[in-house]
PDB file of all heavy atoms in Angstrom:
ATOM      1  N   GLU A 898       0.427  11.720  14.673  1.00 60.00           N
ATOM      2  CA  GLU A 898      -0.096  11.460  16.016  1.00 60.00           C
ATOM      3  C   GLU A 898       0.068   9.985  16.375  1.00 60.00           C
ATOM      4  O   GLU A 898      -0.201   9.109  15.565  1.00 60.00           O
ATOM      5  CB  GLU A 898      -1.587  11.814  16.066  1.00 60.00           C
ATOM      6  CG  GLU A 898      -1.878  13.278  15.904  1.00 60.00           C
ATOM      7  CD  GLU A 898      -1.640  14.049  17.183  1.00 60.00           C
ATOM      8  OE1 GLU A 898      -1.828  13.478  18.263  1.00 60.00           O
ATOM      9  OE2 GLU A 898      -1.260  15.223  17.081  1.00 60.00           O
ATOM     10  N   ALA A 899       0.533   9.759  17.598  1.00 51.00           N
ATOM     11  CA  ALA A 899       0.656   8.379  18.075  1.00 51.00           C
ATOM     12  C   ALA A 899      -0.746   7.830  18.283  1.00 51.00           C
ATOM     13  O   ALA A 899      -1.607   8.502  18.854  1.00 51.00           O
ATOM     14  CB  ALA A 899       1.435   8.338  19.371  1.00 51.00           C
ATOM     15  N   GLN A 900      -0.976   6.629  17.823  1.00 53.00           N
ATOM     16  CA  GLN A 900      -2.302   6.037  17.958  1.00 53.00           C
ATOM     17  C   GLN A 900      -2.423   5.347  19.299  1.00 53.00           C
ATOM     18  O   GLN A 900      -1.579   4.545  19.679  1.00 53.00           O
ATOM     19  CB  GLN A 900      -2.558   5.044  16.841  1.00 53.00           C
ATOM     20  CG  GLN A 900      -2.663   5.724  15.488  1.00 53.00           C
ATOM     21  CD  GLN A 900      -3.068   4.746  14.404  1.00 53.00           C
ATOM     22  OE1 GLN A 900      -3.291   3.574  14.677  1.00 53.00           O
ATOM     23  NE2 GLN A 900      -3.155   5.231  13.193  1.00 53.00           N
ATOM     24  N   ALA A 901      -3.471   5.695  20.014  1.00 51.00           N
ATOM     25  CA  ALA A 901      -3.725   5.085  21.312  1.00 51.00           C
ATOM     26  C   ALA A 901      -4.417   3.741  21.098  1.00 51.00           C
ATOM     27  O   ALA A 901      -4.973   3.466  20.034  1.00 51.00           O
ATOM     28  CB  ALA A 901      -4.601   5.992  22.153  1.00 51.00           C
ATOM     29  N   HIS A 902      -4.393   2.934  22.112  1.00 54.00           N
ATOM     30  CA  HIS A 902      -5.081   1.651  22.083  1.00 54.00           C
ATOM     31  C   HIS A 902      -6.571   1.915  21.905  1.00 54.00           C
ATOM     32  O   HIS A 902      -7.115   2.846  22.496  1.00 54.00           O
ATOM     33  CB  HIS A 902      -4.788   0.899  23.389  1.00 54.00           C
ATOM     34  CG  HIS A 902      -5.312  -0.485  23.370  1.00 54.00           C
ATOM     35  ND1 HIS A 902      -6.550  -0.792  23.850  1.00 54.00           N
ATOM     36  CD2 HIS A 902      -4.785  -1.634  22.909  1.00 54.00           C
ATOM     37  CE1 HIS A 902      -6.771  -2.081  23.710  1.00 54.00           C
ATOM     38  NE2 HIS A 902      -5.710  -2.607  23.130  1.00 54.00           N
ATOM     39  N   PRO A 903      -7.301   1.134  21.100  1.00 58.00           N
ATOM     40  CA  PRO A 903      -8.709   1.429  20.814  1.00 58.00           C
ATOM     41  C   PRO A 903      -9.613   1.444  22.045  1.00 58.00           C
ATOM     42  O   PRO A 903     -10.666   2.061  22.016  1.00 58.00           O
ATOM     43  CB  PRO A 903      -9.126   0.341  19.836  1.00 58.00           C
ATOM     44  CG  PRO A 903      -8.040  -0.655  19.823  1.00 58.00           C
ATOM     45  CD  PRO A 903      -6.812  -0.014  20.385  1.00 58.00           C
ATOM     46  N   HIS A 904      -9.225   0.791  23.129  1.00 57.00           N
ATOM     47  CA  HIS A 904     -10.069   0.750  24.321  1.00 57.00           C
ATOM     48  C   HIS A 904      -9.811   1.918  25.258  1.00 57.00           C
ATOM     49  O   HIS A 904     -10.485   2.072  26.258  1.00 57.00           O
ATOM     50  CB  HIS A 904      -9.861  -0.577  25.071  1.00 57.00           C
ATOM     51  CG  HIS A 904     -10.230  -1.764  24.243  1.00 57.00           C
ATOM     52  ND1 HIS A 904     -11.531  -2.068  23.919  1.00 57.00           N
ATOM     53  CD2 HIS A 904      -9.464  -2.692  23.622  1.00 57.00           C
ATOM     54  CE1 HIS A 904     -11.552  -3.149  23.166  1.00 57.00           C
ATOM     55  NE2 HIS A 904     -10.310  -3.546  22.962  1.00 57.00           N
ATOM     56  N   CYS A 905      -8.862   2.752  24.954  1.00 55.00           N
ATOM     57  CA  CYS A 905      -8.539   3.889  25.805  1.00 55.00           C
ATOM     58  C   CYS A 905      -9.476   5.049  25.513  1.00 55.00           C
ATOM     59  O   CYS A 905      -9.940   5.226  24.401  1.00 55.00           O
ATOM     60  CB  CYS A 905      -7.100   4.350  25.569  1.00 55.00           C
ATOM     61  SG  CYS A 905      -5.896   3.117  26.012  1.00 55.00           S
ATOM     62  N   ASN A 906      -9.713   5.857  26.513  1.00 53.00           N
ATOM     63  CA  ASN A 906     -10.527   7.046  26.352  1.00 53.00           C
ATOM     64  C   ASN A 906      -9.690   8.100  25.617  1.00 53.00           C
ATOM     65  O   ASN A 906      -8.654   8.511  26.100  1.00 53.00           O
ATOM     66  CB  ASN A 906     -10.970   7.542  27.725  1.00 53.00           C
ATOM     67  CG  ASN A 906     -11.861   8.754  27.637  1.00 53.00           C
ATOM     68  OD1 ASN A 906     -12.110   9.274  26.555  1.00 53.00           O
ATOM     69  ND2 ASN A 906     -12.347   9.207  28.768  1.00 53.00           N
TER      70      ASN A 906
END
Side-chain angles (χ1 to χ4, degrees):
E898 293 281 329
Q900 293 186 1
H902 187 267
H904 299 289
C905 296
N906 182 357

